[in-house]
Amino acid sequence: DAKTTQPNSMESNEEEPVHLPCNHSTISGTDYIHWYRQLPSQGPEYVIHGLTSNVNNRMASLAIAEDRKSSTLILHRATLRDAAVYYCILRAAYNTDKLIFGTGTRLQVFP
Amino acid sequence: DTGVSQNPRHKITKRGQNVTFRCDPISEHNRLYWYRQTLGQGPEFLTYFQNEAQLEKSRLLSDRFSAERPKGSFSTLEIQRTEQGDSAMYLCASSPDRGRGGGQPQHFGDGTRLSIL
């Protein structure tokens, strides 16, 4: 199973952009990059996913390096409700449908 | 769409007892997943179903654990002869068929917290 590496924690001020990095140097050509987040006392919540091209949705943007060995989740304007643990996950395109979570990045947002 | 529902939300039991958890997925979601999460760690995959068929089981799912999805709708996870190490949050998720490419997002419930005395 391909692994991801994320910083244990990050801090941001409210209304500032946040860039959450993820390294995945052993990614295979068919692995998709997924991001989930988990708010306190809740189950994980899907944020965004991509393969090669950068992706945008209403929650965030995903920037993927050209060699695909790293990616960055971008929250354009952090709010207090964005305080959560963010997980970067490589999801295989074939054979299995499980998500393999690491320990994620705990994001703190200050008013 | 009421989301994934898990019951009970909390379960406290004595070591050696059997426990059963229930998960009701989002209606019409064919895939259902079970994960376990201990404090400070990310969720760990246990097993998943496509309709009533159990397609994959983790090595974490010892012979004391059994999961069923008899009619392809709700699912149950049973733990027999519980041990201290079984204390964790048990999470259920569901999704539509995988489809092509990156897969459908998994929608998680808020889990059942199991405490073993």
Side-chain angles (χ1 to χ4, degrees):
Chain A
D1 297 327
K3 284 192 171 182
T4 62
T5 304
Q6 300 177 252
N8 289 333
S9 63
M10 292 186 65
E11 297 177 353
S12 175
N13 293 319
E14 205 173 6
E15 298 189 5
E16 290 184 352
V18 181
H19 291 232
L20 298 166
C22 180
N23 288 320
H24 28 78
S25 58
T26 60
I27 190 171
S28 76
T30 55
D31 285 340
Y32 282 74
I33 302 160
H34 283 242
W35 284 80
Y36 282 72
R37 71 180 186 180
Q38 188 170 22
L39 280 64
S41 301
Q42 294 186 21
E45 173 188 31
Y46 167 80
V47 178
I48 199 167
H49 79 276
L51 182 62
T52 57
S53 303
N54 295 345
V55 184
N56 300 296
N57 67 20
R58 64 174 180 81
M59 291 181 70
S61 296
L62 176 60
I64 301 172
E66 196 168 337
D67 64 5
R68 300 207 330 121
K69 293 185 177 182
S70 65
S71 61
T72 303
L73 180 71
I74 303 165
L75 307 179
H76 295 286
R77 291 183 66 209
T79 70
L80 296 178
R81 289 180 297 177
D82 291 324
V85 179
Y86 287 79
Y87 296 100
C88 170
I89 298 165
L90 300 182
R91 192 171 184 187
Y94 306 107
N95 300 328
T96 181
D97 202 20
K98 62 187 176 187
L99 297 175
I100 302 173
F101 291 81
T103 52
T105 296
R106 180 172 298 278
L107 175 66
Q108 290 183 282
V109 181
F110 298 105
Chain B
D1 181 352
T2 58
V4 176
S5 176
Q6 292 191 246
N7 288 289
R9 290 298 310 277
H10 299 93
K11 179 70 176 178
I12 301 173
T13 192
K14 293 182 179 179
R15 182 166 53 93
Q17 297 296 303
N18 299 343
V19 293
T20 301
F21 312 137
R22 176 179 171 123
C23 172
D24 288 89
I26 294 171
S27 61
E28 299 181 354
H29 276 191
N30 294 329
R31 295 204 162 194
L32 187 148
Y33 313 79
W34 285 99
Y35 292 83
R36 180 176 72 183
Q37 186 173 25
T38 53
L39 202 60
Q41 302 298 312
E44 297 172 293
F45 170 78
L46 293 178
T47 188
Y48 84 92
F49 294 83
Q50 169 82 22
N51 298 314
E52 65 273 13
Q54 191 171 18
L55 295 188
E56 187 174 351
K57 292 196 296 185
S58 163
R59 283 170 289 182
L60 292 174
L61 214 64
S62 75
D63 57 3
R64 296 185 299 106
F65 288 70
S66 63
E68 294 182 343
R69 195 181 183 199
K71 296 183 179 179
S73 56
F74 73 91
S75 175
T76 58
L77 178 67
E78 180 184 18
I79 308 174
Q80 296 181 328
R81 305 180 303 281
T82 53
E83 302 173 356
Q84 291 284 352
D86 296 332
S87 294
M89 177 74 81
Y90 289 84
L91 293 160
C92 177
S94 71
S95 72
D97 281 342
R98 184 186 176 115
R100 299 176 66 181
Q104 298 283 349
Q106 295 182 16
H107 300 260
F108 283 80
D110 288 335
T112 294
R113 181 168 294 285
L114 175 63
S115 299
I116 307 297
L117 302 178

